[in-house]
């Protein structure tokens, strides 16, 4: 009956580190509450969260209860900032281009406030994201007639994502510079991440460094491991979450 992503994929995204942090929080009190996010960051590989499968049902008591978990499939990720961040747009375009952070900041910014929904079950209501519409960058690059899809790459050297060209042109898809009304920090994929508002959060590639226009969809990192390529919230991955808008 259940077309959910395979156990191995979910086990990795929601690895039990989150449970250990949670139990430590209960045992050791406020000091551990403060330390838990640092522990999660320090553990970087497959940072986990108590997932929708958490049998305790007490995840709301976590220091980030109702908040974000930090995920990275890469063991370590270099830090990039105004001096060395670059975003390259290429592939099936007439005008390939590399943007600096200043270039992106100089373009018109769009702010959206919607819920974030991870496919493992956690949801963060009313989260502001702000950045440049992907459609603007695509128009500036001059997408060729044979193009059908986008491939996203990341400076963690590992993660990839994809969208069809139609999906990429939606007004609620951003190359995001800000999240929760702050510049996106390293842990959340800063200085620049993708934000695909209507889809599960795995589409929102962190540490975005490459946008390649292609003639077909190439499934991304989690999609190779069983997640749906078309990741509409509530209409994919066997889940029935409320849409995020
Ligand atoms: N580069 C990269 N992007 C990524 C991921 C990742 O591991 N690496 N994880 C994805 C998943 S499954 C989720 S739920 C969100 C988590 O974003 P956060 O760490 O800011 O909460 O990032 C998505 N983008
Ligand atoms: Mo996720």
């Amino acid at each position: 009956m259940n077309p959910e992503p395979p156990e191995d994929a979910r086990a990795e995204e929601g690895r039990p580190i989150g449970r250990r942090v949670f139990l430590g929080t209960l045992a050791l009190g406020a000091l551990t509450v403060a330390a838990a996010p640092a522990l999660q960051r320090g553990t970087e590989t497959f940072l986990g969260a108590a997932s929708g499968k958490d049998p305790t049902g007490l995840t709301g008591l976590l220091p980030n209860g109702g908040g974000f978990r930090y995920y990275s499939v890469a063991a370590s990720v270099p830090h990039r900032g105004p001096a060395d961040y670059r975003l390259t747009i290429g592939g099936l375009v007439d005008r390939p281009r590399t943007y600096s952070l200043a270039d992106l900041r100089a373009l018109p910014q769009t702010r959206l406030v919607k819920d974030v929904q991870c496919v493992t079950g956690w949801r963060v209501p009313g989260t502001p994201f702000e950045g440049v519409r992907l459609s603007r960058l695509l128009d500036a690059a001059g997408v060729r007639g044979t193009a059908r899809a986008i491939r996203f790459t990341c400076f963690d050297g590992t993660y990839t994502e994809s969208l069809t060209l139609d999906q990429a042109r939606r007004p609620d898809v951003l190359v995001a510079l800000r999240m929760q009304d702050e510049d996106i920090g390293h842990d959340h994929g800063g200085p620049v991440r993708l934000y695909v508002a209507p889809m599960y959060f795995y589409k929102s590639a962190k540490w975005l460094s490459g946008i390649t226009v292609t003639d077909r969809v190439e499934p991304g990192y989690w999609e190779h491991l069983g997640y749906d390529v078309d990741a509409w919230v509530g209409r994919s991955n066997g889940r029935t979450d409320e849409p995020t808008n």
Side-chain angles (χ1 to χ4, degrees), residues 13-14 44 46-47 67-74 77 116-120 122 124 129 153-161 179-180 184-190 193-194 200-208 221-222 227:
E13 194 186 341
E44 270 187 315
F46 302 125
L47 292 178
F68 285 89
R69 280 67 164 164
Y70 297 109
Y71 283 143
S72 175
V73 298
V77 182
V116 161
Q117 177 75 54
C118 173
V119 75
T120 61
W122 53 273
V124 186
F129 281 85
T153 48
C154 306
F155 64 80
D156 64 9
T158 304
Y159 204 75
T160 55
E161 254 308 336
M179 176 177 160
Q180 298 173 304
I184 300 178
H186 176 75
D187 293 330
H188 281 305
R193 78 182 294 170
L194 190 65
Y200 285 102
F201 207 28
Y202 63 86
K203 299 301 284 194
S204 294
K206 299 161 68 164
W207 306 296
L208 182 66
Y221 181 93
W222 282 117
Y227 288 3

Side-chain angles (χ1 to χ4, degrees), residues 19-228:
R19 187 73 45 77
R20 289 201 297 276
V21 169
F22 172 66
L23 293 174
T25 299
L26 288 188
L28 298 175
L31 198 61
T32 309
V33 170
L39 173 58
Q40 289 187 327
R41 280 195 294 277
T43 309
E44 270 187 315
T45 307
F46 302 125
L47 292 178
S51 72
K53 294 165 72 183
D54 176 10
T56 69
L58 293 174
T59 54
L61 297 178
L62 280 164
N64 59 354
F68 285 89
R69 280 67 164 164
Y70 297 109
Y71 283 143
S72 175
V73 298
S76 73
V77 182
H79 287 244
R80 300 244 170 110
D84 57 358
Y85 175 77
R86 298 288 181 274
L87 174 63
T88 299
I89 302 192
L92 299 174
V93 298
D94 292 330
R95 296 175 292 278
R97 170 159 185 192
T98 297
Y99 291 86
S100 68
L101 201 50
D103 294 334
L104 292 172
R105 285 176 174 156
L107 293 172
Q109 308 289 307
T110 297
R111 185 172 181 272
L112 303 173
V113 183
K114 296 169 184 291
D115 295 359
V116 161
Q117 177 75 54
C118 173
V119 75
T120 61
W122 53 273
R123 187 177 182 104
V124 186
T127 305
F129 281 85
E130 202 173 326
V132 182
R133 283 207 170 105
L134 178 56
S135 64
R136 168 178 290 273
L137 300 182
L138 293 174
D139 288 347
V143 173
R144 295 192 181 151
T146 53
R148 294 290 178 270
I150 316 287
R151 175 175 171 80
F152 301 95
T153 48
C154 306
F155 64 80
D156 64 9
T158 304
Y159 204 75
T160 55
E161 254 308 336
S162 69
L163 289 173
T164 68
L165 193 52
D166 286 346
Q167 292 164 357
R169 284 183 161 140
R170 289 175 58 106
D172 53 2
V173 175
L174 303 180
V175 170
L177 310 178
R178 290 169 62 80
M179 176 177 160
Q180 298 173 304
D181 291 321
E182 293 175 6
D183 291 348
I184 300 178
H186 176 75
D187 293 330
H188 281 305
V192 178
R193 78 182 294 170
L194 190 65
Y195 175 55
V196 183
M199 293 193 175
Y200 285 102
F201 207 28
Y202 63 86
K203 299 301 284 194
S204 294
K206 299 161 68 164
W207 306 296
L208 182 66
S209 58
I211 297 174
T212 308
V213 180
T214 60
D215 62 0
R216 77 199 67 177
V217 169
E218 295 173 40
Y221 181 93
W222 282 117
E223 294 149 12
H224 280 297
L225 294 172
Y227 288 3
D228 287 347

